[in-house]
Amino acid sequence: MRSTVPVSSTRRILCVFPAYTPSFGTFSHAYPLMGGVKAFMPPQGLLLIAAYMPEAWEVRFVDENIAPATPGDFSWADAVFVSGMHIQAPQIHDIRARAHAAGRVVALGGPSVSGSPEKYGEFDYLHVGEIGDATDELIRRLDADVARPAAQVRLETRERLGLADFPAPAYEKAPLRRYLIGSLQFSSGCPYRCEFCDIPALYGRQPRLKTPAQLLSELDAIVAQANHPAVVYFVDDNFIGNRKATREMLPHLVAWQKRRNYPLQFACEATLNMAKQPEILELMRQANFITVFVGIETPELDALKSIDKQHNAAVPMLEGIATLNAYGLEVTSGIILGLDTDTDQSEAKLIEFVDRSGVPVLTMNLLQALPRTPLWDRLAREGRLLDDPDLESNVRFLRPHDEVVASWRRAIDHAYTPERIFARFLRQVEVTYPNRVRTPLRGKLTLTNLRRGLVLGFNIAVQVGLRSDYRRAFWSAAGRAMRRGQIEAVFNMGFVAHHLIRFTREALRGEHNASFYAAQNKAKAEAARGDGSRSPEWEAA
C-alpha cells in the first residue's frame, strides 16, 4: 500500500542509492563477463520507499552503482532521498553535497543513519528507523514545503509499518537487467544476538513477515521485466528466523515455480542450524534454492561461544555444511579474523577449514565494531574503539594489528590460489550440484537465457580460458565438470573464480581493506597502486 497521508502538492522525489566499495561479495570483476551487468543487487529499502510515496508524486530512482545521478536529475527533483550502509558513508555525503549544490532538500534514511545519526549532521532530514510514522511525517512536511529547513529535522519511527502492509518495491523503476541478482524480502529481524551484529537493534529479534501472496506478486513483477536476473536473493536477515513461517511459505513458492516452469533460482542467508531442518531443506530444494550464505565466522567452538554464536555449533560444522550440500545448496561463508579468542593457531585452523569444507566462496573480513551492537558497547567500555583511517579496523585487537592483517592476507592468498578455488568448485560438482531439483527445459530455453549464456560463455572462454594466467586450472576443472554434464557449473565457476582471484590479487597489493565494513583510505589505496591514479570505486564516490 502507498502512504495514506493526504497531500495537496505535486512533488518530484529523486531516490539515489550510493555506490558500494568493491568487496569479495559484490563480484564486481565478474560484471564485464555478463554483458550489461553493472551492479550487484537492487536496493530493497529505497525501492520500497519509492513505492510508498503518494500516487500524485513523481519518483525517479538512480543507483549510482550503475550510473551517477546527473545534474539534470537534481534539477528535476523537489527533494532527494538517500539510503545506505556504514561502508557507503563517503558516497552518501557526496550525494548530499551534490544535491545541496543544486539547492535541493535532502532526506537520509536506512541502516547507517538509523545506527549512527550523529555522523550525518549536514543532512536536512534524518529518517531514523524503518518505514512507518516517521515516513508519513516526512511526506507531510515535504508536501507543505520543499525548502531546506533552518535546522536539521530528525524523524524517528515509533510505529513501524507491518510487513504485510508493505507495498511491492518499485521494481519497475530499476533496470533489473543491469543487476547480477535480484532481491526479495520475506521477513525482517533475527532471534539471535550475535555480539558483532546490529540486526536485532535495528530490526528486532521477533521476525516480522510478509504474506505468501505478497511474495508471489513481487516475483510476478520481477519476471515481467525483460532480461531480469536469473537468480533472486532473499535479503531476510535470517531465512529461518521464524521456521514455522518459512515452512508454511515454501510450498507456495514451489507451486509458483512449477506454474512458471521454474524461471528463477533462489539464494538466501541463514544460520548453520538450518541443517537440522530437513523438511525446510527439502522444500527449498524443490523451490530451486541453490545457494545459502552462512555466517560461519570461525571454525573454533570457543570463539563462537565468546561472540554469542553458539547456534553455529548446534551440529558439527563440517557435517552441517555437508547436509546443506546434500540438498543442492552451495554454501557461501562469512569469516571474521581478529576475534579476542584468536591465537597464533587460529590461522592454521581457518585454512584447514577452508580445505576440508569445500566451501568455494568465503568472504573474509577483519572484525569491525558496528554501532548499536553488544561488541560496540563492550569495546567502548574497554577503551578499544579506534578512529584511525590508516588502520584496517576500528577495533584495537588483542593481538598486534599488523599480525592480524598479515594473517588475513595469508588466509585469502591460500583460499584464492587458482588451483585451490577451482578444486573447491569441483567438490561442489561432485557433492552439491547433482542434488538440485531437475527443472523443465522449457523454463530455461528462453531467448534471454540463450543470449545470456552465449555472452557469458564467450567472455569466460576469452577472458578466463585464453587470456588469464590461471587458464590451465580453469580448463582442468571445466573439463571434469563438462564430463559430468554440469555446463552451468562451468559458467558459475568461471565468473565467480575470475572475480575472487582478481580481487584477492588487488587486496594483496594493498588496494582493498581487510574489512568490507571499513572505508578504504584513498591516499593509502593510491600509494598501493603506485601511480596516484583513481580507482573505479573513487570515481563512483
Side-chain angles (χ1 to χ4, degrees):
M1 59 178 252
R2 291 182 179 271
S3 172
T4 57
V5 172
V7 295
S8 56
S9 304
T10 299
R11 300 299 188 203
R12 292 181 293 194
I13 307 299
L14 176 64
C15 295
V16 186
F17 189 68
Y20 280 116
T21 299
S23 75
F24 277 109
T26 54
F27 298 101
S28 54
H29 286 304
Y31 301 161
L33 304 178
M34 303 291 290
V37 169
K38 297 291 184 182
F40 182 55
M41 183 168 59
Q44 279 274 312
L46 202 53
L47 290 175
L48 172 66
I49 291 293
Y52 189 69
M53 291 297 101
E55 191 169 3
W57 290 15
E58 296 181 62
V59 179
R60 184 179 294 182
F61 169 77
V62 175
D63 185 343
E64 295 207 320
N65 293 281
I66 298 174
T70 66
D73 290 323
F74 289 115
S75 64
W76 169 86
D78 294 311
V80 178
F81 287 4
V82 189
S83 176
M85 299 188 294
H86 295 308
I87 187 63
Q88 295 167 294
Q91 293 90 327
I92 290 172
H93 283 292
D94 180 72
I95 294 168
R96 184 262 312 152
R98 285 182 280 147
H100 280 171
R104 298 300 182 257
V105 63
V106 189
L108 174 63
S112 185
V113 68
S114 296
S116 300
E118 70 280 358
K119 293 182 178 180
Y120 299 102
E122 295 179 295
F123 279 79
D124 303 304
Y125 289 98
L126 297 187
H127 182 295
V128 177
E130 295 183 79
I131 188 170
D133 54 352
T135 321
D136 289 340
E137 179 59 22
L138 179 60
I139 290 170
R140 291 188 190 95
R141 288 174 178 259
L142 293 177
D143 183 53
D145 190 357
V146 289
R148 294 183 59 192
Q152 184 182 83
V153 177
R154 176 171 167 173
L155 306 172
E156 188 163 354
T157 296
R158 304 297 179 187
E159 295 182 11
R160 297 181 294 198
L161 186 69
L163 263 69
D165 294 321
F166 274 22
Y171 294 119
E172 73 280 359
K173 298 187 182 299
L176 297 185
R177 69 188 185 281
R178 298 299 187 194
Y179 291 95
L180 181 65
I181 60 176
S183 61
L184 188 72
Q185 183 179 25
F186 171 54
S187 69
S188 179
C190 180
Y192 299 109
R193 192 162 171 77
C194 306
E195 187 187 39
F196 54 85
C197 182
D198 60 357
I199 293 300
L202 292 176
Y203 306 118
R205 297 185 63 187
Q206 181 63 44
R208 292 163 291 125
L209 307 164
K210 288 183 179 177
T211 66
Q214 281 177 283
L215 287 187
L216 303 190
S217 176
E218 292 179 25
L219 287 171
D220 286 338
I222 290 173
V223 299
Q225 193 169 139
N227 302 318
H228 60 80
V231 178
V232 169
Y233 194 96
F234 277 77
V235 298
D236 302 32
D237 309 308
N238 184 350
F239 189 66
I240 60 165
N242 183 323
R243 296 169 192 170
K244 180 176 182 294
T246 303
R247 189 164 50 246
E248 292 174 351
M249 177 274 291
L250 282 168
H252 297 273
L253 197 57
V254 173
W256 183 89
Q257 287 274 52
K258 289 179 177 178
R259 286 196 304 272
R260 291 277 194 162
N261 292 319
Y262 285 83
L264 296 172
Q265 296 174 318
F266 295 116
C268 67
E269 54 190 87
T271 40
L272 188 58
N273 56 3
M274 170 186 274
K276 297 180 68 176
Q277 304 295 320
E279 184 179 354
I280 289 177
L281 291 173
E282 176 55 27
L283 287 168
M284 290 175 67
R285 193 187 75 85
Q286 293 178 26
N288 209 20
F289 277 79
I290 60 168
T291 304
V292 57
F293 177 91
V294 177
I296 296 292
E297 320 310 356
T298 172
E300 299 183 68
L301 297 184
D302 289 344
L304 290 175
K305 183 177 180 180
S306 75
I307 58 176
D308 288 335
K309 197 146 187 174
Q310 298 96 318
H311 46 276
N312 260 15
V315 293
M317 198 165 285
L318 295 177
E319 179 184 313
I321 292 170
T323 297
L324 298 182
N325 292 161
Y327 286 91
L329 290 167
E330 181 176 290
V331 174
T332 298
S333 173
I335 298 292
I336 300 175
L337 293 89
L339 299 171
D340 284 1
T341 51
D342 282 1
T343 69
D344 56 5
Q345 297 300 311
S346 295
E347 178 188 327
K349 292 177 181 178
L350 172 57
I351 287 173
E352 180 186 16
F353 169 78
V354 171
D355 293 340
R356 292 184 63 194
S357 69
V359 172
V361 181
L362 307 103
T363 58
M364 300 184 188
N365 286 292
L366 295 195
L367 180 67
Q368 181 84 3
L370 300 178
R372 301 190 65 180
T373 62
L375 176 67
W376 178 280
D377 295 339
R378 176 172 68 84
L379 295 182
R381 291 193 302 270
E382 296 173 5
R384 292 174 55 200
L385 289 175
L386 304 175
D387 185 16
D388 186 341
D390 290 326
L391 297 180
E392 304 282 335
S393 170
N394 65 350
V395 175
R396 180 164 57 81
F397 304 119
L398 295 186
R399 300 181 68 210
H401 173 271
D402 290 349
E403 285 186 18
V404 176
V405 174
S407 182
W408 172 80
R409 291 168 65 86
R410 288 189 295 268
I412 63 171
D413 188 29
H414 178 93
Y416 295 123
T417 296
E419 290 74 18
R420 291 193 180 99
I421 185 172
F422 284 116
R424 297 200 303 277
F425 271 117
L426 273 178
R427 170 92 168 269
Q428 302 303 303
V429 168
E430 295 169 357
V431 305
T432 302
Y433 305 154
N435 300 320
R436 291 175 176 169
V437 66
R438 294 185 180 275
T439 59
L441 279 177
R442 61 183 178 274
K444 301 175 183 177
L445 295 178
T446 65
L447 287 176
T448 295
N449 285 345
L450 289 172
R451 187 183 305 113
R452 183 183 286 138
L454 287 172
V455 170
L456 180 58
F458 175 80
N459 286 333
I460 288 175
V462 172
Q463 299 299 329
V464 182
L466 292 178
R467 295 181 177 175
S468 74
D469 60 6
Y470 40 89
R471 56 187 176 272
R472 185 183 300 274
F474 166 71
W475 284 119
S476 175
R480 290 175 60 184
M482 286 189 285
R483 285 193 291 273
R484 295 182 64 108
Q486 294 281 357
I487 305 302
E488 189 175 340
V490 176
F491 288 3
N492 182 58
M493 72 172 69
F495 86 82
V496 173
H498 177 67
H499 164 75
L500 294 171
I501 292 167
R502 289 194 60 189
F503 188 89
T504 297
R505 291 175 176 180
E506 291 171 353
L508 293 173
R509 293 197 299 266
E511 296 178 26
H512 301 295
N513 265 6
S515 173
F516 174 56
Y517 301 96
Q520 172 76 311
N521 182 304
K522 187 188 298 187
K524 184 178 174 183
E526 291 174 352
R529 283 187 292 276
D531 59 359
S533 62
R534 286 160 59 93
S535 66
E537 64 266 34
W538 294 115
E539 292 290 351

